[in-house]
Coordinates of all heavy atoms in Angstrom, one line a residue:
Y1 N 57.3 104.8 138.8 CA 56.7 104.8 140.1 C 57.3 103.6 140.9 O 57.3 102.5 140.4 CB 55.2 104.6 140.0 CG 54.5 105.8 139.3 CD1 54.4 105.8 137.9 CD2 54.0 106.8 140.1 CE1 53.8 106.9 137.3 CE2 53.4 107.9 139.5 CZ 53.3 107.9 138.1 OH 52.6 109.0 137.5
R2 N 57.9 103.9 142.1 CA 58.5 102.8 142.9 C 57.6 102.6 144.1 O 57.2 103.6 144.8 CB 59.9 103.1 143.2 CG 60.8 103.2 142.0 CD 62.3 103.5 142.4 NE 63.2 103.4 141.3 CZ 63.5 104.4 140.5 NH1 62.8 105.6 140.6 NH2 64.3 104.3 139.5
R3 N 57.4 101.4 144.5 CA 56.7 101.1 145.7 C 57.3 99.9 146.5 O 57.9 99.0 145.9 CB 55.2 100.8 145.4 CG 54.4 101.9 144.8 CD 54.2 103.0 145.7 NE 53.3 104.0 145.2 CZ 53.7 105.1 144.4 NH1 55.0 105.2 144.2 NH2 52.8 106.0 144.0
Q4 N 57.1 99.9 147.8 CA 57.6 98.8 148.6 C 56.7 97.6 148.4 O 57.1 96.4 148.5 CB 57.6 99.2 150.1 CG 58.2 98.1 151.0 CD 58.2 98.5 152.4 OE1 57.4 99.3 152.8 NE2 59.0 97.8 153.2
R5 N 55.4 97.8 148.1 CA 54.4 96.7 147.9 C 53.8 96.9 146.5 O 53.9 97.9 145.9 CB 53.3 96.8 149.0 CG 53.8 96.4 150.4 CD 52.9 96.8 151.5 NE 52.9 98.3 151.7 CZ 52.0 99.1 151.4 NH1 50.9 98.6 150.8 NH2 52.1 100.4 151.6
K6 N 53.2 95.8 146.1 CA 52.6 95.8 144.7 C 51.2 96.5 144.8 O 50.2 95.8 144.6 CB 52.5 94.4 144.2 CG 52.9 94.2 142.8 CD 53.0 92.8 142.4 CE 53.6 92.7 141.0 NZ 53.8 91.3 140.6
T7 N 51.2 97.8 145.0 CA 49.9 98.5 145.2 C 49.4 99.1 143.9 O 48.3 99.6 143.8 CB 50.1 99.6 146.2 OG1 51.2 100.5 145.8 CG2 50.4 99.1 147.6
I8 N 50.2 99.1 142.8 CA 49.8 99.7 141.5 C 49.4 98.5 140.6 O 50.1 97.5 140.4 CB 51.0 100.5 140.9 CG1 51.3 101.7 141.7 CG2 50.6 100.9 139.5 CD1 52.4 102.6 141.2
Q9 N 48.2 98.7 140.0 CA 47.7 97.7 139.1 C 47.5 98.4 137.7 O 46.6 99.2 137.6 CB 46.4 97.1 139.6 CG 46.4 96.5 141.0 CD 45.1 96.1 141.5 OE1 44.2 95.8 140.7 NE2 44.9 96.1 142.8
P10 N 48.4 98.0 136.8 CA 48.3 98.7 135.4 C 46.9 98.6 134.8 O 46.6 99.5 134.0 CB 49.3 97.9 134.6 CG 50.3 97.4 135.6 CD 49.5 97.1 136.8
R11 N 46.1 97.6 135.1 CA 44.7 97.5 134.5 C 43.8 98.6 135.1 O 42.8 99.0 134.5 CB 44.1 96.2 134.8 CG 44.8 95.1 133.9 CD 44.1 93.7 134.1 NE 44.7 92.7 133.4 CZ 44.3 91.4 133.3 NH1 43.2 91.1 134.0 NH2 44.9 90.5 132.6
R12 N 44.1 99.1 136.4 CA 43.3 100.0 137.0 C 43.9 101.4 137.1 O 43.2 102.4 137.2 CB 43.0 99.6 138.5 CG 42.2 98.3 138.6 CD 41.9 98.0 140.0 NE 41.2 99.1 140.7 CZ 41.6 99.6 141.8 NH1 42.7 99.2 142.4 NH2 40.9 100.7 142.3
H13 N 45.2 101.5 137.1 CA 45.9 102.8 137.4 C 46.5 103.3 136.1 O 47.0 102.6 135.3 CB 46.9 102.7 138.5 CG 46.4 102.3 139.8 ND1 46.6 101.1 140.4 CD2 45.5 103.0 140.6 CE1 46.0 101.1 141.6 NE2 45.3 102.2 141.7
L14 N 46.5 104.7 136.0 CA 47.2 105.4 134.9 C 48.3 106.3 135.5 O 48.3 106.6 136.6 CB 46.2 106.2 134.1 CG 45.1 105.4 133.4 CD1 44.1 106.4 132.8 CD2 45.6 104.4 132.4
C15 N 49.2 106.7 134.6 CA 50.2 107.7 135.0 C 49.6 109.0 135.5 O 48.7 109.5 134.9 CB 51.1 108.0 133.8 SG 52.4 109.2 134.2
G16 N 50.1 109.4 136.7 CA 49.5 110.6 137.3 C 49.9 111.9 136.6 O 49.4 113.0 136.8
T17 N 50.9 111.8 135.7 CA 51.4 113.0 134.9 C 50.7 113.1 133.6 O 50.2 114.2 133.3 CB 52.9 112.9 134.7 OG1 53.6 112.8 135.9 CG2 53.5 114.1 133.9
C18 N 50.7 112.0 132.8 CA 50.1 112.2 131.4 C 48.9 111.2 131.2 O 48.4 111.2 130.1 CB 51.2 111.9 130.4 SG 51.7 110.2 130.3
R19 N 48.6 110.5 132.2 CA 47.5 109.5 132.1 C 47.8 108.4 131.1 O 46.9 107.7 130.6 CB 46.1 110.2 131.7 CG 45.8 111.4 132.5 CD 45.7 111.1 133.9 NE 44.6 110.3 134.3 CZ 44.3 109.8 135.5 NH1 45.2 110.0 136.4 NH2 43.3 109.0 135.7
G20 N 49.0 108.1 130.9 CA 49.4 107.0 130.0 C 49.4 105.7 130.7 O 49.2 105.6 131.9
A21 N 49.5 104.6 129.9 CA 49.4 103.2 130.5 C 50.7 102.9 131.2 O 51.8 103.4 130.9 CB 49.2 102.2 129.4
L22 N 50.6 102.1 132.3 CA 51.8 101.8 133.1 C 52.2 100.3 132.8 O 51.4 99.4 132.6 CB 51.5 101.9 134.6 CG 51.1 103.3 135.1 CD1 50.7 103.3 136.5 CD2 52.3 104.3 134.8
Q23 N 53.5 100.1 132.9 CA 54.1 98.8 132.6 C 55.0 98.4 133.8 O 55.9 99.2 134.2 CB 54.9 98.7 131.3 CG 55.5 97.4 131.0 CD 56.3 97.4 129.7 OE1 56.7 98.5 129.3 NE2 56.6 96.3 129.1
E24 N 54.8 97.2 134.4 CA 55.7 96.8 135.5 C 57.1 96.5 135.0 O 57.2 95.9 133.9 CB 55.1 95.6 136.2 CG 55.8 95.2 137.5 CD 55.2 94.1 138.3 OE1 54.0 93.7 137.9 OE2 55.8 93.7 139.3
L25 N 58.1 96.9 135.8 CA 59.5 96.6 135.4 C 60.1 95.5 136.3 O 59.8 95.5 137.5 CB 60.3 97.9 135.6 CG 59.9 99.1 134.7 CD1 60.7 100.3 135.1 CD2 60.0 98.8 133.3
P26 N 60.9 94.7 135.7 CA 61.6 93.7 136.6 C 62.6 94.5 137.4 O 63.2 95.5 136.9 CB 62.2 92.8 135.6 CG 62.3 93.6 134.3 CD 61.2 94.5 134.3
M27 N 62.9 94.0 138.6 CA 63.8 94.7 139.5 C 65.1 93.9 139.8 O 65.0 92.6 139.9 CB 63.1 95.1 140.8 CG 61.9 96.0 140.7 SD 62.3 97.7 140.3 CE 62.9 98.3 141.8
V28 N 66.2 94.5 139.9 CA 67.4 93.9 140.4 C 68.0 94.7 141.6 O 67.7 95.8 141.7 CB 68.5 93.8 139.3 CG1 68.0 92.9 138.1 CG2 68.8 95.2 138.7
H29 N 68.8 94.0 142.4 CA 69.4 94.7 143.5 C 70.9 95.0 143.3 O 71.7 94.0 143.1 CB 69.2 93.9 144.8 CG 67.8 93.8 145.2 ND1 67.2 94.6 146.2 CD2 66.7 93.1 144.8 CE1 65.9 94.4 146.4 NE2 65.6 93.4 145.5
R30 N 71.3 96.2 143.4 CA 72.7 96.6 143.2 C 73.1 97.3 144.5 O 72.6 98.4 144.8 CB 72.9 97.5 142.0 CG 72.4 96.9 140.7 CD 72.8 97.8 139.5 NE 72.4 97.3 138.3 CZ 71.3 97.6 137.6 NH1 70.5 98.6 138.2 NH2 70.9 97.1 136.5
G31 N 74.0 96.8 145.2 CA 74.5 97.4 146.4 C 73.5 97.6 147.5 O 73.5 98.6 148.2
G32 N 72.5 96.7 147.6 CA 71.4 96.8 148.6 C 70.3 97.7 148.2 O 69.4 97.9 148.9
V33 N 70.4 98.3 146.9 CA 69.3 99.2 146.5 C 68.6 98.6 145.3 O 69.2 98.2 144.3 CB 69.9 100.6 146.1 CG1 68.8 101.5 145.5 CG2 70.5 101.2 147.3
A34 N 67.3 98.5 145.3 CA 66.5 97.9 144.2 C 66.4 98.9 143.1 O 66.2 100.1 143.3 CB 65.1 97.5 144.7
A35 N 66.7 98.4 141.9 CA 66.6 99.3 140.7 C 65.9 98.6 139.6 O 66.1 97.4 139.4 CB 68.0 99.8 140.3
P36 N 65.3 99.4 138.7 CA 64.6 98.8 137.5 C 65.7 98.1 136.6 O 66.8 98.7 136.4 CB 63.9 99.9 136.8 CG 63.8 101.0 137.9 CD 65.0 100.8 138.8
L37 N 65.4 97.0 136.1 CA 66.3 96.3 135.2 C 66.5 97.0 133.9 O 67.5 97.1 133.3 CB 65.9 94.8 135.0 CG 66.7 93.9 134.1 CD1 68.1 93.8 134.8 CD2 66.1 92.6 133.9
T38 N 65.4 97.6 133.4 CA 65.4 98.3 132.2 C 65.6 99.8 132.5 O 64.9 100.4 133.3 CB 64.0 98.2 131.4 OG1 63.8 96.8 131.3 CG2 64.1 98.9 130.1
P39 N 66.6 100.5 131.8 CA 66.8 101.9 132.1 C 65.5 102.7 131.8 O 64.8 102.4 130.8 CB 67.9 102.3 131.1 CG 68.6 101.0 130.8 CD 67.5 99.9 130.9
A40 N 65.3 103.7 132.6 CA 64.0 104.5 132.4 C 64.3 105.9 132.8 O 65.1 106.2 133.6 CB 62.9 103.9 133.3
I41 N 63.5 106.8 132.2 CA 63.6 108.2 132.5 C 62.8 108.5 133.8 O 61.6 108.0 133.9 CB 63.0 109.1 131.4 CG1 63.8 108.8 130.1 CG2 63.0 110.5 131.7 CD1 63.1 109.4 128.9
T42 N 63.4 109.1 134.7 CA 62.7 109.4 136.0 C 62.8 110.8 136.4 O 63.7 111.3 137.1 CB 63.3 108.6 137.1 OG1 63.5 107.2 136.7 CG2 62.5 108.6 138.4
P43 N 61.9 111.7 135.8 CA 61.9 113.1 136.1 C 61.6 113.4 137.6 O 60.5 112.9 138.0 CB 60.9 113.7 135.2 CG 59.9 112.6 134.9 CD 60.7 111.3 135.0
P44 N 62.4 114.1 138.4 CA 62.1 114.4 139.8 C 61.0 115.5 139.8 O 61.0 116.3 138.9 CB 63.4 114.8 140.3 CG 64.1 115.4 139.2 CD 63.7 114.6 138.0
P45 N 60.3 115.6 140.9 CA 60.2 114.6 142.0 C 59.1 113.6 141.7 O 58.2 113.8 140.9 CB 59.7 115.4 143.2 CG 58.9 116.5 142.6 CD 59.5 116.8 141.2
P46 N 59.2 112.3 142.2 CA 58.2 111.3 141.9 C 56.8 111.7 142.4 O 56.7 112.2 143.5 CB 58.7 110.1 142.7 CG 59.6 110.6 143.7 CD 60.2 111.9 143.2
A47 N 55.8 111.5 141.7 CA 54.4 111.9 142.0 C 53.6 110.6 142.3 O 53.6 109.7 141.4 CB 53.8 112.7 140.9
P48 N 53.0 110.5 143.4 CA 52.1 109.3 143.7 C 50.9 109.4 142.9 O 50.4 110.4 142.4 CB 51.8 109.4 145.2 CG 51.9 110.9 145.4 CD 53.0 111.4 144.6

């Protein structure tokens, strides 16, 4: 899950797909685009 603001709180929110626990990822900027530092599976389309 990607957001412009820190609107997701792992203590309060669960995954909308499987209800699993969420973990915040560190972000790096490559070519002007923010991307997770740790590789992750991202099945399309993203669900809020």
